[in-house]
Amino acid sequence: MKRLLALGLAAICLACALPLTACTPQQKLYSASWFDMFDTVTMVQGYAASQEEWDTQADALHDDLEHYHQLFDIYHHYDGMVNLYDVNARAGQEPVQVSRELFDFLQLCKTSGETLAGGAVNIAAGAVLSLWHDARESENPAPPAADAITEALQHCDLDDLLLDADALTVAFADPAMTLDVGAAAKGYTAVQAGKAAQARGLTHALLNMGGNVYTTGPKADGSAWRVGVENPWPGEDAPQYVQTVELTGGDSLIVSGDYQRYFTYEGKRYSHLIDLTTGCPAAYYSSVAVYSSPDEGLGDLFSTALFCLPPEQSRQVADDNGLAVLWLGTDGEVAAQTDNWPGKAV
């Protein structure tokens, strides 16, 4: 059984993880957490008839999540598959044939980034994103040099990502370009793995991948899961949550914020969410939450895009796509929310 019992949640946490009180005697609430995928904590809660049934379901879910983790990994090669690490290593020299599932994901990200996300999400921007990743992970974090950022921005043209649907190949017209799908991978994975788990019979579960929450169905008694949007503003007396949202089958709640992956340099916070118009971390909001029902795998991409766009453009993208969104400002206040936002104040 590949699971750890210690529980942990990231940008979204369960606002109430109550024991089962009104469901049938055959269904009990179980949980599992993993710390070995997508550089975040992954947690699942769900109902099963027995510990054995739950263990089988949790193992299968873990296997699916691990598969996507390896497929989208840009730092390691894995035997038996062609993943994004392999694509980045070879596509600048020759077309690289990939699996149908990786090709379809890249096509989805390319098309959606161009047509839906206002250009704020660009999977071909690995040259810039890697600069900030290396800065954040160094022993003495500091912003990359301005000339290095300027140079990297010259190698992020999405038109240079060449996708051949007939041959299932990926190629780079610019050899200095690299892919980074971090803006969309977790949310897409949560939806795909969640749907597969539902098809296997895990029909009452909530999956949380570091701020990307997906539900395969309501609780076993038919009631909604209630999750909280974490308060991004520090303070001794600050509440843990700003709002709560109810989720049932196929619903997602995704939060992008500046308070999880960041470093501080000379008193200024630098987050991992990069404004591709400047090549530097976006600083328009503290967090952006997107509610999607049903989520077809784009909720993560949208939350990243809305965080990285200035207010007027961010609101326009939300309106154009009919998104339900909560924007939390850098001043400790709710900056805005769409009319269809379902959250309730704590």
Side-chain angles (χ1 to χ4, degrees):
M1 176 65 182
K2 299 183 288 292
R3 64 190 184 98
L4 301 173
L5 297 181
L7 298 181
L9 302 180
I12 307 176
C13 300
L14 284 177
C16 62
L18 300 178
L20 180 64
T21 58
C23 64
T24 60
Q26 290 78 19
Q27 295 285 299
K28 295 182 180 180
L29 180 64
Y30 297 90
S31 64
S33 289
W34 304 291
F35 301 84
D36 56 346
M37 295 169 292
F38 291 95
D39 193 28
T40 192
V41 178
T42 298
M43 184 278 287
V44 60
Q45 288 191 322
Y47 292 87
S50 66
Q51 182 71 56
E52 181 180 6
E53 178 186 318
W54 171 253
D55 289 349
T56 299
Q57 289 283 4
D59 277 347
L61 177 59
H62 180 277
D63 288 345
D64 285 346
L65 295 174
E66 185 176 47
H67 170 73
Y68 285 108
H69 166 79
Q70 294 179 357
L71 190 65
F72 300 148
D73 192 343
I74 62 175
Y75 301 108
H76 306 92
H77 164 78
Y78 299 93
D79 292 339
M81 70 162 59
V82 175
N83 71 351
L84 284 183
Y85 174 89
D86 302 312
V87 171
N88 282 340
R90 296 160 42 198
Q93 289 75 47
E94 61 182 0
V96 178
Q97 189 168 49
V98 299
S99 64
R100 167 60 67 180
E101 64 178 342
L102 180 54
F103 184 91
D104 288 347
F105 174 69
L106 294 178
Q107 184 70 73
L108 176 67
C109 289
K110 180 177 181 179
T111 303
S112 301
E114 290 178 318
T115 62
L116 302 179
V121 172
N122 180 356
I123 62 170
V128 173
L129 300 179
S130 65
L131 290 177
W132 288 97
H133 173 271
D134 293 346
R136 192 170 61 251
E137 297 298 319
S138 67
E139 291 186 7
N140 299 295
D147 57 349
I149 294 174
T150 300
E151 170 61 23
L153 285 171
Q154 307 308 307
H155 305 290
C156 302
D157 189 342
L158 201 54
D159 289 338
D160 288 333
L161 172 59
L162 309 178
L163 302 175
D164 186 328
D166 293 327
L168 293 182
T169 59
V170 182
F172 301 157
D174 177 0
M177 188 180 76
T178 59
L179 301 182
D180 186 321
V181 298
K186 283 191 300 180
Y188 180 86
T189 295
V191 172
Q192 299 306 312
K195 286 183 176 181
Q198 184 179 28
R200 289 190 294 265
L202 191 61
T203 54
H204 303 287
L206 179 147
L207 174 64
N208 183 353
M209 296 184 65
N212 293 265
V213 172
Y214 179 79
T215 53
T216 68
K219 294 181 179 180
D221 63 359
S223 63
W225 300 91
R226 187 157 60 97
V227 299
V229 179
E230 189 175 355
N231 186 347
W233 308 304
E236 185 175 340
D237 298 322
Q240 186 175 2
Y241 306 106
V242 175
Q243 293 192 11
T244 60
V245 176
E246 292 187 344
L247 304 178
T248 55
D251 297 347
S252 285
L253 182 65
I254 302 105
V255 171
S256 291
D258 66 359
Y259 52 93
Q260 290 292 331
R261 296 181 185 178
Y262 68 91
F263 66 87
T264 301
Y265 179 76
E266 295 184 349
K268 181 178 180 179
R269 176 181 294 184
Y270 294 86
S271 80
H272 72 292
L273 296 162
I274 305 303
D275 179 348
L276 295 177
T277 64
T278 65
C280 295
Y284 305 110
Y285 319 100
S286 287
S287 72
V288 174
V290 174
Y291 167 80
S292 185
S293 178
D295 189 348
E296 297 302 328
L298 292 177
D300 194 8
L301 179 144
F302 278 126
S303 72
T304 303
L306 297 179
F307 186 95
C308 293
L309 288 169
E312 184 174 343
Q313 290 178 261
S314 186
R315 184 57 186 258
Q316 189 63 56
V317 168
D319 291 344
D320 289 346
N321 291 282
L323 303 175
V325 185
L326 174 70
W327 290 268
L328 300 180
T330 58
D331 58 356
E333 300 290 340
V334 173
Q337 63 184 56
T338 56
D339 293 339
N340 58 345
W341 171 253
K344 298 180 181 179
V346 176

